[in-house]
């Protein structure tokens, strides 16, 4: 075995790169390489593991066999100034060779081994290793709302697209050079990844570049927090238990042909693997009552324990025991993407009390999940255990949790920072909000739930207002879509003449309520899908041919807790009519801040009985063309052309910056 790692090949040549040159390039440009790796790595790793994996990907670039490549690594890299020079600057073969290795290593985290079953996620044991940090959790510094929105948008796209975005904006490579490098890193469709990255970046590349250069995406400037102070003395036992649990989970993954995230191991396989401290009621985390007003982290970690049974050890033991290994007679539900595995550390107690004939316990695992345990007080009937994703919650998405639910209503435990609460009907935008009673523990009176079937005649929502200790004059809407955490509803107004792009805002103004009155019933399609927030974006208005009215085009985007988004493009022919869904697009960044370009089309019948194909695009569209059995061209963001009732068509649009976008129909 050689004492030193074998030399790297210089991309594009048959020459080898000496380890000293490669090491010099790595050390000189370590922060930019780690940032590129961090951007490329899957967000699903979590921020702590993603930081460690980014550093590991860069440090591994000097190790391993020198693999032959097709020459992409020096794409966009100027030739050395002197013959034979292999310096360590960012424009040298040395840096290019290391960069290629870093991208290849980061992409490996999202790949399955070739022999692994196609739809089954590979366990962590089969991914590249990462450094181990004991007793601390590492996090990049939090950015603002723009950085958060970009991070959410990047979670919707594959790793090659994130890597392409980093190469284009952080490394300033051309599209062609980026595609060549990705091909050398083993990406199957490098050109498609480059196109998708350009779509994510939109037209304002400089703004996105500035966001990527912010602290939010800097794994070299991190904050630290203790991993688990209460259980540090049980570290050895916990580590052994974690290894057993990993083995069990890996075996179950091999057996699960469908690879569903919410598949749960049997109770007998889990209960014995849980560290004792994690299911000890005495070890439960109990946040002081006033913490929420004195912390910058306004989420579930700031909730104090409430309810009349927070000291009931027997009830808490049953709740924790069911979480550790649910008995066969306990009904378990999970939102998509939520693991029904035992807690790895003592959970945080949010609520324990009696409601509507049940004893209820609400718990939070400190990061990703909220858990509700309920058992009938009469002794008849089965207990229930509900798991939900709540990671990266904020002042609005951590404002309430369902503590009791029937077929027609639900009661919520409100966040301690909620100062006022009311209910209203989205389908009656002109009706005033009605005060919602809340008891001393923060539990609301019964709130009607939206009907799951039949005619959509009402859509109840809660209108909450934050305490001025958190933010002034901040009211917002949430609604029940079947999960533990209600869904935050927002609104983005349509583009004005020459107005800049607008951020989503709270849906409490008259214009927002009128828009939601036309689209609220489409929320039925989003039930029980782990939705975090839904935004209505009125991206275009169109004068209707043969009618004295204007139609609105609305993009309703649902963001899920696990990352992927779903888009419903809706057409509302007049101010009083319900909108019609004309397109349903899943797993997309479309209609987010980083997917701003959209065009859609539909068929419409005028009051005179004439059929038209209508099309409309967002603010950057300057030309629309309809092709297929129907043909037509129009300058500007809207088009109307006569057409047979069922004539097939497709829509293409040109953007002001020269790009193109296709209809999402």
């Amino acid at each position: 075995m050689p004492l030193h790692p074998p030399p790297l090949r210089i991309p594009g040549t048959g020459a080898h790169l000496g380890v000293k040159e490669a090491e010099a390039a790595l050390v000189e440009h370590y922060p930019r390489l780690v940032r590129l790796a961090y951007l490329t790595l899957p967000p699903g790793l979590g921020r702590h593991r993603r930081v460690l994996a980014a550093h590991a990907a860069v440090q591994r670039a000097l190790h391993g066999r020198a693999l032959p490549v097709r020459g992409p690594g020096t794409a966009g890299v100027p030739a050395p100034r002197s013959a034979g020079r292999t310096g360590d600057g960012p424009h040298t073969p040395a840096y290019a060779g290391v960069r290629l290795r870093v991208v290849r290593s980061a992409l490996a985290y999202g790949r399955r081994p070739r022999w692994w079953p196609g739809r089954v996620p590979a366990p962590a044991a089969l991914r590249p290793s990462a450094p181990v940090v004991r007793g601390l959790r590492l996090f990049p510094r939090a950015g603002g709302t723009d950085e958060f929105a970009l991070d959410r948008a990047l979670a919707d796209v594959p790793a090659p697209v994130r890597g392409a975005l980093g190469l284009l904006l952080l490394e300033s490579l051309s599209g062609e050079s980026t595609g060549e490098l990705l091909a050398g890193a083993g990406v199957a469709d490098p050109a498609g990844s480059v196109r998708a990255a350009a779509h994510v970046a939109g037209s304002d590349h400089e703004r996105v570049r500035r966001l990527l250069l912010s602290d939010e995406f800097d794994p070299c400037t991190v904050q630290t927090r203790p991993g688990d102070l209460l259980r540090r003395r049980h570290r050895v036992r916990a580590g052994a238990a974690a290894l057993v649990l990993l083995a069990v989970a890996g075996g179950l993954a091999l057996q699960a042909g469908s690879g569903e995230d919410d598949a749960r191991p049997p109770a007998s396989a889990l209960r014995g693997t849980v560290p004792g401290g994690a299911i000890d009621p005495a070890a439960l985390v109990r946040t002081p009552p006033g913490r929420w007003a004195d912390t910058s982290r306004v989420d579930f970690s700031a909730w104090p324990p409430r309810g009349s049974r927070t000291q009931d050890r027997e009830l808490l033991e049953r709740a924790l025991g069911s979480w550790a290994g649910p008995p066969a007679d306990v009904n378990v539900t999970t939102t998509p993407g939520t693991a029904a595995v035992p807690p790895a550390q003592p959970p945080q107690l949010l609520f324990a009390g009696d409601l509507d004939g049940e004893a209820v316990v609400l718990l939070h695992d400190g990061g990703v999940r909220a858990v509700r345990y309920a058992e009938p007080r009469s002794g008849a009937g089965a207990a229930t255990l509900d798991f939900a994703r709540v990671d990266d919650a904020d002042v609005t998405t951590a404002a309430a949790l369902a503590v009791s639910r029937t077929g027609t209503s639900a009661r919520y435990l409100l966040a301690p920072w909620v100062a006022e609460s009311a209910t209203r009907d989205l389908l009656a935008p002109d009706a005033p909000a009605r005060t919602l009673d809340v008891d001393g523990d923060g539990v609301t009176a019964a709130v009607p739930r939206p009907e799951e079937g039949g005619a959509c005649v009402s859509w109840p929502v809660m209108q909450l207002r934050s305490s001025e200790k958190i933010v002034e004059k901040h009211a917002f809407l949430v609604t029940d879509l079947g999960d533990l955490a209600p869904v935050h509803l927002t609104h983005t107004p349509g583009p004005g003449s020459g107005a800049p792009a607008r951020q989503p805002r709270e849906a409490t103004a008259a214009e927002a309520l009128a828009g939601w009155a036309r689209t609220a019933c489409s929320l039925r399609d989003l039930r029980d899908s782990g939705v975090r927030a839904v935004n209505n974006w009125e991206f275009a208005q169109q004068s209707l041919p043969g009618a004295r009215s204007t139609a609105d085009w609305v993009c309703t985007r649902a963001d899920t807790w696990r990352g992927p988004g779903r888009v419903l493009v809706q057409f509302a022919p007049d101010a009083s009519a319900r909108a019609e869904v004309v397109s349903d697009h899943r797993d997309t960044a479309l209609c987010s801040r980083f997917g701003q370009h959209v065009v859609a089309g539909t068929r419409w019948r005028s009051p005179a009985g004439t059929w038209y194909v209508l099309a409309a695009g967002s603010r950057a569209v300057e030309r629309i063309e309809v092709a297929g059995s129907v043909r037509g061209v129009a300058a500007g963001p809207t088009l109307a052309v006569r057409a047979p009732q069922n004539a097939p068509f497709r829509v293409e649009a040109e953007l002001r910056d020269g790009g193109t976008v296709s209809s999402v129909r």
Side-chain angles (χ1 to χ4, degrees), residues 235-283:
R235 184 179 296 156
V236 175
R237 184 173 60 180
L243 290 175
V244 175
L245 180 59
L246 178 62
V248 172
L252 289 166
L254 286 169
Q255 298 172 12
S258 64
E260 290 293 328
D261 290 333
D262 57 0
R264 62 184 175 98
S268 59
L270 293 178
R271 188 180 292 273
T273 69
V274 184
I279 55 175
D280 181 1

Side-chain angles (χ1 to χ4, degrees), residues 103-385:
V103 173
R104 181 184 292 140
S105 181
L107 291 172
Y109 279 83
R111 294 177 180 152
R112 304 178 181 90
R114 293 181 179 178
W115 48 268
W116 194 256
R119 294 192 61 192
V120 180
L126 298 180
R127 298 172 182 161
S129 60
V132 176
V133 176
R134 295 186 181 277
L136 289 176
R137 305 290 292 176
L138 307 180
F139 305 92
R141 295 183 181 276
T145 56
D146 288 351
E147 289 85 352
F148 178 77
L150 175 58
D151 193 44
R152 285 286 176 182
L154 293 176
D156 289 351
V157 299
V161 178
R162 294 191 297 272
L165 186 68
L167 294 169
L168 290 169
L169 299 186
L170 298 179
E171 297 294 297
S172 300
L173 297 186
S174 66
E176 180 181 1
S177 299
T178 297
E180 291 176 359
L181 192 150
L182 292 177
V187 174
D189 183 14
S193 297
V194 172
R195 288 193 299 271
H199 181 73
V200 171
S203 58
D204 193 349
H205 288 193
E206 284 304 316
R207 181 182 61 81
V208 178
R209 180 183 286 110
R210 288 194 300 270
L211 295 178
L212 292 178
L213 290 171
S214 68
D215 289 344
E216 178 87 17
F217 300 95
D218 182 6
C220 290
T221 305
V222 298
Q223 301 178 93
T224 62
R225 291 176 184 164
D228 185 6
L229 295 175
L230 294 176
R231 286 178 46 249
R232 187 167 291 174
R233 61 190 178 90
H234 299 298
R235 184 179 296 156
V236 175
R237 184 173 60 180
L243 290 175
V244 175
L245 180 59
L246 178 62
V248 172
L252 289 166
L254 286 169
Q255 298 172 12
S258 64
E260 290 293 328
D261 290 333
D262 57 0
R264 62 184 175 98
S268 59
L270 293 178
R271 188 180 292 273
T273 69
V274 184
I279 55 175
D280 181 1
L284 284 171
V285 176
R286 298 169 184 259
T287 301
R291 175 72 57 82
W292 63 271
D294 297 313
T295 180
S296 60
R297 184 180 175 185
V298 186
D299 58 14
F300 290 109
S301 67
W303 282 33
R306 287 170 287 177
S308 60
R309 301 183 67 175
T310 56
Q311 303 300 325
D312 189 332
R313 182 179 179 88
E314 292 184 357
L315 172 62
L316 299 178
E317 279 184 340
R318 291 194 296 273
L320 291 168
S322 293
W323 185 353
D329 60 347
V330 173
N331 297 321
V332 179
T333 67
T334 61
T335 58
T338 308
V341 297
Q345 59 187 13
Q348 177 187 353
L349 179 62
L350 305 181
F351 179 87
D354 297 329
L355 285 173
D356 304 327
E358 291 183 319
V360 179
V361 178
L362 285 180
L363 300 163
H364 181 238
D365 70 357
V368 176
R369 296 172 297 169
V371 178
R372 176 184 179 270
Y373 171 80
E375 62 182 27
R377 294 183 62 193
S378 64
T384 60
L385 190 65

